[in-house]
Amino acid sequence: MESDSQSSNPKTTQVETKPKLNSKHQSYKLQAQNVDVFYEDFQAINNISLGIVENSITAFIGPSGCGKSTFLRLFNRMNDYIDGFSMNGNILMDGKDIYDESVNVEELRKIVGMVFQKPNPFPKSIYENVAYGLRIQGIKDEEYIENRVIESLKQSTLYSEVEDNLDKMALSLSGGQQQRLCIARALAVKPTVLLMDEPTSALDPISSGKIEDLIHELKEDYTIVIVTHNMQQAGRVSDNTAFLYMGNLVEYGDTQKIFTNPEKDRTQNYITGRFG
Ligand SMILES: Nc1ncnc2c1ncn2[C@@H]1O[C@H](COP(=O)(O)OP(=O)(O)O)[C@@H](O)[C@H]1O
Ligand SMILES: [Mg+2]
């Protein structure tokens, strides 16, 4: 396959950047091409290229401060808000540069949803939390909104626990329920990509398990990228894994391979807990 990810930059030490494509999907949903990120003078990401397959789950792993969140936030332009942020290279979705000046960032964030480490429901009812994105879009059709709310809550596996209490304040839910509510809120506006930054690290093991099951189910309809500190979780939920270390992509590929027979010593050391 002709690679378009190995363009001009000569100083690259290129690593394996091609997860296997299944027959159904012959192209990448998301692609990073020779991406550098800076916060002022500090370089947080160093020349990363990788492609993410549609309807797959990709885990970003690596020690704290290695650039996982920074790299994840590139895919819905959340770094744009940060003072001193700048980047080189390209981020493509469906082959199109999402940093092109013609891109409407609000629209982009609708189709690239994000879930954060700490559940962050609004101080509103369960119903209004999920309806929020639709109302922001100016949708007035209450029947449509209600259908989307119910459908999204079902998809996030929360519905059966809250169906009689949709008017209840979201903040009265447990942490695990709040996180599933935040996932429902992201799903309501029909994204195609879901970015999750350590979505279970503030949760107890049972709630985490529910979110992991949910992530697995969502893969049918979404392309999911998840940052996780939890190696077992990466092994359980993801198809492909990218190991980042100090802003570099050390290794990327099939999760089972990364976890059982990695190419690089550094990866081996990390997954066996020898540092990190
Ligand atoms: N808003 C910011 N301003 C300046 N430096 C930042 C900012 N966010 C992250 N960094 C720095 O960039 C590096 C990568 O951070 P981050 O992407 O949060 O890593 P991770 O998610 O892997 O813990 C770290 O050295 C961090 O201190
Ligand atoms: Mg982080």
Side-chain angles (χ1 to χ4, degrees):
M1 192 171 90
E2 274 291 302
S3 169
D4 49 7
S5 67
Q6 316 227 352
S7 50
S8 49
N9 200 329
K11 70 172 195 249
T12 327
T13 35
Q14 204 65 44
V15 298
E16 177 57 59
T17 58
K18 294 191 190 69
K20 53 180 190 262
L21 289 164
N22 60 34
S23 55
K24 216 168 107 196
H25 303 106
Q26 292 302 330
S27 61
Y28 293 122
K29 181 71 184 175
L30 299 169
Q31 244 180 308
Q33 297 178 325
N34 301 103
V35 171
D36 299 319
V37 173
F38 300 87
Y39 296 115
E40 307 289 353
D41 297 341
F42 173 71
Q43 185 160 7
I45 295 292
N46 181 27
N47 197 26
I48 292 186
S49 297
L50 59 70
I52 289 173
V53 181
E54 189 164 34
N55 294 62
S56 70
I57 302 174
T58 303
F60 292 168
I61 64 168
S64 256
C66 70
K68 303 180 297 296
S69 296
T70 298
F71 193 55
L72 187 75
R73 289 194 299 258
L74 289 170
F75 293 98
N76 69 347
R77 295 188 53 169
M78 288 290 276
N79 291 320
D80 292 20
Y81 292 122
I82 298 174
D83 279 344
F85 162 78
S86 65
M87 67 177 284
N88 299 318
N90 300 308
I91 300 283
L92 311 183
M93 182 165 70
D94 300 319
K96 297 199 190 81
D97 182 355
I98 64 167
Y99 286 82
D100 189 86
E101 60 186 21
S102 66
V103 170
N104 178 331
V105 180
E106 307 259 293
E107 292 294 322
L108 174 75
R109 297 216 181 97
K110 264 181 238 157
I111 48 181
V112 186
M114 187 146 188
V115 175
F116 299 88
Q117 176 172 1
K118 277 225 187 93
N120 58 347
F122 304 127
K124 293 170 179 283
S125 69
I126 293 168
Y127 185 99
E128 285 306 323
N129 263 275
V130 185
Y132 184 82
L134 302 166
R135 298 210 190 280
I136 292 283
Q137 285 178 30
I139 294 171
K140 298 275 190 294
D141 182 345
E142 205 55 47
E143 196 181 324
Y144 175 80
I145 293 176
E146 186 176 345
N147 286 336
R148 283 304 303 144
V149 168
I150 292 173
E151 213 173 301
S152 305
L153 285 169
K154 282 183 176 164
Q155 245 185 324
S156 77
T157 71
L158 185 60
Y159 189 65
S160 64
E161 293 163 50
V162 300
E163 59 183 318
D164 299 326
N165 295 300
L166 294 179
D167 292 333
K168 211 167 111 173
M169 285 300 277
L171 295 166
S172 68
L173 297 170
S174 74
Q177 288 175 324
Q178 288 187 19
Q179 194 61 307
R180 282 179 286 146
L181 180 69
C182 292
I183 294 171
R185 185 175 66 193
L187 297 180
V189 294
K190 300 192 170 173
T192 58
V193 175
L194 263 190
L195 309 176
M196 301 179 138
D197 195 347
E198 302 194 39
T200 67
S201 64
L203 305 181
D204 63 81
I206 291 176
S207 302
S208 298
K210 284 187 184 168
I211 303 262
E212 281 183 21
D213 292 345
L214 164 61
I215 291 170
H216 225 273
E217 279 174 35
L218 292 175
K219 176 176 114 156
E220 294 291 317
D221 300 309
Y222 305 90
T223 304
I224 297 174
V225 188
I226 177 173
V227 170
T228 178
H229 252 108
N230 180 325
M231 223 76 72
Q232 287 76 21
Q233 178 170 72
R236 278 193 299 267
V237 305
S238 71
D239 301 301
N240 293 296
T241 295
F243 171 49
L244 278 74
Y245 184 69
M246 292 178 68
N248 294 293
L249 179 60
V250 176
E251 190 162 349
Y252 177 46
D254 181 79
T255 294
Q256 292 319 316
K257 168 123 178 29
I258 298 259
F259 279 86
T260 55
N261 186 22
E263 305 272 327
K264 303 276 162 71
D265 290 344
R266 188 154 257 161
T267 313
Q268 179 72 24
N269 290 342
Y270 184 67
I271 59 164
T272 55
R274 250 169 273 167
F275 76 96

